[in-house]
Amino acid sequence: MTPPEADLSADTASLLEAARGGHRRALARVMSMVERGGPPARELGALTFAQAGAAHTVGITGAPGAGKSTLNSALVAVARERAERLAVLAIDPSSPFSGGAILGDRVRMSDHTFDEDVYIRSMATRGHLGGLTLATPLAVRVLDALGWPWVVIETVGVGQVETEIVGAADTTVVVVNPGWGDSVQANKAGLMEIADVFVVNKADRPGTSETCRDIRQMLDLSAPGDWDPPILTSVGTTGEGAAELWDAICAHRDHSTASGELDARRAARVETELDEILRASIAERVSTIVEGPAAERLRRQLARRELDPYAAAQALLDEAD
Ligand SMILES: Nc1nc2c(ncn2[C@@H]2O[C@H](COP(=O)(O)OP(=O)(O)OP(=O)(O)O)[C@@H](O)[C@H]2O)c(=O)[nH]1
Ligand SMILES: [Mg+2]
């Protein structure tokens, strides 16, 4: 059934309603609003918060070129075979690594383009208040509130920020390649910490079993939790191992739901988000103050040594209140 043509200039609430009804152009507009940030994005956040919470979010991360997108595409195929509906967000971290990657993603992900139970979107977040750190949870929340039961977030695990974003998923999958065990990687410890499931992708290459063993040893050295991250193998290009990966994701979801870990994580996550929003809002205020006319006047007084920097800062804060 084709949804009725929505009025794309309608207010945010009816735009959301249209998106919920399956209108793809309305959904695309909503996601662009999230990307751009500012008051419209905040309005979306306010409108969707109460309705969100039913979706299970899956983060997929790993080094550039590890095969995340290829494997993700195979995973989408498995999920579809099992009649699951899912949304995929490919995050463009605006890093030098991402240059052609998103285009690559689109090409591979195009296998699923005409399926109305799959939504795939790459997201760049330049200009958003708080950048990726705030845009990603908002995007996930909107998709959740719109009724997508699974939201998969793919991002390159190169830096701390990217790792934190994807590590904030309900289930985090870390994709590595044969040889990862003995490679020197800046972010290895960070990836070890966030992984709920490990996948050694490119298992058609030598060194796969050694890498599985190395990861097992690294895990044994870390503090035991009540979930023991499974170490799987896959060949993204053939889809081998994708069904087992989906099973592992479902097993982690069931386990963390039953143990209360899921609720605890979600509570901690929204607290972190509040913290980030506060920091970003205050940073924005600081920029406004620094660029304002009062700051210019005080800088001159400062230069003439009529005022000390602490007094100048206090004067600016008093004036801004
Ligand atoms: N041999 C082999 N090649 C693979 C496998 N999985 C993916 N590739 C290839 O690895 C390359 C990178 O795959 P992508 O899926 O783009 O990797 P990615 O992790 O999404 O890369 P970025 O998004 O750029 O970080 C592509 O040429 C894939 O065809 C695999 O299991 N075996
Ligand atoms: Mg990719």
Side-chain angles (χ1 to χ4, degrees):
M1 191 186 74
T2 314
E5 189 63 25
D7 175 6
L8 292 180
S9 65
D11 61 28
T12 310
S14 34
L15 195 61
L16 275 171
E17 214 38 63
R20 198 197 314 276
H23 196 288
R24 285 302 164 107
R25 278 174 61 210
L27 181 52
R29 269 203 63 180
V30 166
M31 298 308 284
S32 300
M33 283 163 73
V34 170
E35 248 177 352
R36 277 197 299 271
R42 282 200 284 277
E43 198 189 342
L44 279 173
L47 287 170
T48 51
F49 189 72
Q51 297 152 3
H56 194 80
T57 59
V58 180
I60 299 191
T61 194
K68 298 178 293 297
S69 301
T70 315
L71 187 58
N72 200 359
S73 193
L75 202 60
V76 169
V78 171
R80 293 299 299 128
E81 274 164 31
R82 303 192 187 180
E84 301 282 4
R85 298 175 63 237
L86 68 178
V88 177
L89 279 177
I91 308 286
D92 172 2
S94 309
S95 78
F97 295 99
S98 65
I102 298 298
L103 183 64
D105 292 349
R106 283 223 184 94
V107 171
R108 267 183 290 282
M109 284 296 187
S110 65
D111 299 354
H112 308 290
T113 303
F114 301 108
D115 184 344
E116 62 182 29
D117 290 322
V118 178
Y119 177 68
I120 294 162
R121 161 110 193 177
S122 55
M123 205 169 75
T125 52
R126 300 166 186 89
H128 194 288
L129 171 75
L132 270 178
T133 325
L134 287 179
T136 309
L138 184 57
V140 170
R141 186 171 299 141
V142 168
L143 290 166
D144 179 349
L146 291 178
W148 291 94
W150 292 94
V151 181
V152 180
I153 313 152
E154 181 197 320
T155 188
V156 182
V158 281
Q160 206 191 336
V161 173
E162 288 79 19
T163 307
E164 275 170 14
I165 288 161
V166 87
D170 294 330
T171 299
T172 300
V173 177
V174 170
V175 182
V176 301
N177 294 139
W180 188 73
D182 27 67
S183 72
V184 181
Q185 274 206 3
N187 214 25
K188 212 169 195 170
L191 289 175
M192 288 299 300
E193 220 167 277
I194 62 166
D196 297 310
V197 177
F198 273 101
V199 192
V200 181
N201 187 49
K202 306 197 183 180
D204 51 329
R205 295 192 175 164
T208 303
S209 55
E210 290 84 345
T211 300
C212 291
R213 194 195 54 215
D214 290 345
I215 295 170
R216 171 57 41 217
Q217 279 173 357
M218 284 185 261
L219 283 176
D220 288 345
L221 292 174
S222 60
D226 66 342
W227 169 259
D228 196 17
I231 304 162
L232 310 176
T233 59
S234 66
V235 182
T237 40
T238 63
E240 202 183 309
E244 290 76 5
L245 175 56
W246 184 256
D247 290 339
I249 291 167
C250 293
H252 179 259
R253 179 192 60 172
D254 295 346
H255 181 274
S256 64
T257 304
S259 69
E261 168 73 14
L262 184 64
D263 286 338
R265 273 194 196 187
R266 288 179 175 179
R269 208 188 299 160
V270 78
E271 263 180 52
T272 307
E273 192 182 350
L274 168 63
D275 208 75
E276 296 286 348
I277 292 168
L278 273 173
R279 276 170 214 285
S281 308
I282 289 169
E284 201 176 50
R285 267 190 78 191
V286 170
S287 315
T288 314
I289 293 174
V290 167
E291 286 153 18
E296 189 46 44
R297 175 167 42 80
L298 285 166
R299 267 197 290 274
R300 284 196 296 272
Q301 284 182 276
L302 207 55
R304 292 197 296 267
R305 293 190 168 267
E306 291 166 11
L307 207 60
D308 73 278
Y310 284 92
Q314 193 56 55
L316 283 173
L317 286 174
D318 291 345
E319 227 169 289
D321 276 337

